[in-house]
Amino acid sequence: MQLDRLERTDIDSDSPALHVTNADWDCFLHEYYRVVKCVWGRTGWGGHAAWQCGAEPPVSPPCSEQARLEPSIRQREQCTALLQKLQGWLPQLHMEGVHNLWIIKPGAMSRGRGITCSARLEEVLELSGKCAAPSVQPRQWVVQKYVERPLLIFGTKIDLRQWILVTDWNLLTIWFYRDSYVRFCSQPFSLHHLHASRHLCNVSIQKQWRQAGGRHPKLPRDLIWSNQQFQLHLQQVGHTGAWENVIVPGMKEAVVAALHSARELVRDRKGSFELYGADFMFGEDCQPWLLEINVSPTMAPCSAVTRRLCAAVQRDVLRVVLDRRENPSCSLLPRNKQ
């Protein structure tokens, strides 16, 4: 049905497969959850599909009924062919995985507070009706498909903070900072253990937890890498050229598209500027995915890398908004690189 809609072949079709009632969907979802609960429960998922930051998910009781899927060879071939067709229409399909995980973020919150993850529609709808803070009205939530197949470094989840500077909204003028930094989780990545220490890379979240014993010796103790260290790692693991050819162009494209979409909501004040912090994750293929764009990104150093970069980005912002106003041809490189 989804492929028919994407390919526009459903417009004049009378196929009975396109007429599915709400009762049919309820029946399908009931059977789907029954199978998934039993299969995941036996592999360590514990049958529990939601978590709150800072708490390990409780283990649900074992399945009371047997549920198994044994597709025939023909069914496997049909499913494989459908997925290959969908891949051409849905760019996110590769990173979605099979657990149907969704991440729910409350509006007007920061530093990873109030973030929840769920694999069940009724839980997402229930959460969206709650108020997480006095400043947040009910139903003001962001719901995103969780990246279930992320690029990992030594088995650990990462994300990347990229600074962007907007000096004009009409015409939209964006400065993309050349340096960035990578944040690590303190525990190894696992979809069977949805603890915040494994899944939220925010520094304010990770500092609450001890780092896992037996961590790979090359993982940073302060959980921060520079983008140069990240590039070197990509080369070492066989992703040569991914930074220049996939990651940076993809991040720039996502930032430009996101800021264009918000132009009409921003009050354009000439002579002003705004510094943002964009957070990205990467799929196994190094494709960047924009998670969010933060206003007032933190400039508090939490590592040797951020101590250097936070000072540099503030200095370089002044070069752009002050020095360049007086002399449009002035160099924007640090003095030791001029």
Side-chain angles (χ1 to χ4, degrees):
M1 289 177 62
Q2 186 178 19
L3 189 60
D4 284 343
R5 293 192 185 102
L6 292 170
E7 294 180 337
R8 303 292 191 267
T9 58
D10 64 322
I11 296 176
D12 298 318
S13 174
D14 293 325
S15 171
L18 297 177
H19 303 289
V20 182
T21 66
N22 289 337
D24 293 331
W25 279 119
D26 289 341
C27 180
F28 169 78
L29 288 173
H30 172 77
E31 293 300 312
Y32 164 77
Y33 287 136
R34 188 165 65 92
V35 172
V36 167
K37 177 180 178 182
C38 291
V39 173
W40 289 354
R42 288 195 297 271
T43 57
W45 183 270
H48 188 79
W51 54 265
Q52 293 279 351
C53 287
E56 287 281 9
V59 177
S60 298
C63 291
S64 59
E65 52 183 329
Q66 190 72 10
R68 300 180 63 188
L69 285 178
E70 294 184 355
S72 66
I73 294 177
R74 177 172 173 77
Q75 287 172 326
R76 289 181 182 273
E77 291 175 346
Q78 289 176 327
C79 290
T80 301
L82 279 174
L83 287 172
Q84 289 175 345
K85 287 185 178 180
L86 282 170
Q87 183 68 57
W89 289 92
L90 304 175
Q92 292 185 336
L93 189 65
H94 180 75
M95 65 82 167
E96 286 185 353
V98 298
H99 288 205
N100 192 38
L101 280 176
W102 295 78
I103 190 165
I104 305 104
K105 304 177 181 180
M109 297 285 277
S110 61
R111 302 190 298 276
R113 294 172 296 173
I115 294 179
T116 305
C117 191
S118 178
R120 298 180 69 93
L121 175 61
E122 58 267 29
E123 290 177 348
V124 174
L125 295 175
E126 180 184 358
L127 286 167
S128 66
K130 294 181 179 179
C131 185
S135 61
V136 182
Q137 297 298 320
R139 305 184 189 279
Q140 290 186 347
W141 295 75
V142 175
V143 181
Q144 295 174 304
K145 184 67 188 72
Y146 193 74
V147 180
E148 296 182 20
R149 301 177 63 180
L151 177 69
L152 303 177
I153 296 181
F154 306 121
T156 304
K157 182 179 175 180
I158 63 165
D159 70 11
L160 180 142
R161 167 59 59 89
Q162 174 66 54
W163 287 291
I164 50 178
L165 175 68
V166 177
T167 54
D168 200 339
W169 288 91
N170 186 25
L171 297 167
L172 182 60
T173 306
I174 305 168
W175 299 78
F176 193 87
Y177 203 65
R178 292 184 179 180
D179 286 326
S180 53
Y181 63 93
V182 173
R183 305 180 295 193
F184 287 76
C185 284
S186 58
Q187 303 289 324
F189 179 79
S190 171
L191 289 176
H192 302 301
H193 301 281
L194 297 179
H195 191 259
S197 62
R198 301 176 186 269
H199 294 272
L200 296 182
C201 300
N202 308 62
V203 173
S204 56
I205 293 291
Q206 292 303 322
K207 68 181 182 181
Q208 302 176 32
W209 311 102
R210 293 182 179 178
Q211 296 184 24
R215 280 166 57 88
H216 194 284
K218 290 187 178 181
L219 286 171
R221 288 185 174 274
D222 56 13
L223 305 180
I224 300 291
W225 263 3
S226 68
N227 61 306
Q228 290 84 5
Q229 290 172 296
F230 183 40
Q231 293 175 61
L232 179 60
H233 172 79
L234 292 175
Q235 295 172 3
Q236 292 172 343
V237 297
H239 293 302
T240 304
W243 178 262
E244 299 86 358
N245 301 324
V246 179
I247 292 177
V248 171
M251 291 195 299
K252 288 182 177 180
E253 182 180 1
V255 164
V256 171
L259 294 180
H260 263 296
S261 70
R263 286 179 66 182
E264 295 185 359
L265 303 177
V266 178
R267 181 183 174 187
D268 181 25
R269 297 174 298 182
K270 291 295 182 182
S272 64
F273 66 92
E274 190 75 48
L275 180 68
Y276 298 103
D279 293 339
F280 287 90
M281 275 186 62
F282 308 98
E284 294 174 333
D285 55 358
C286 296
Q287 175 68 38
W289 296 104
L290 177 61
L291 303 179
E292 60 189 27
I293 296 180
N294 300 275
V295 297
S296 303
T298 180
M299 288 295 167
C302 59
S303 68
V305 171
T306 53
R307 188 174 296 110
R308 172 176 57 85
L309 289 183
C310 288
V313 74
Q314 293 176 78
R315 181 178 59 247
D316 293 338
V317 165
L318 295 179
R319 282 199 178 98
V320 172
V321 301
L322 296 179
D323 295 354
R324 190 171 176 273
R325 179 185 299 178
E326 300 297 328
N327 179 13
S329 62
C330 73
S331 174
L332 298 177
L333 292 174
R335 294 185 184 279
N336 61 352
K337 293 185 179 180
Q338 291 182 7

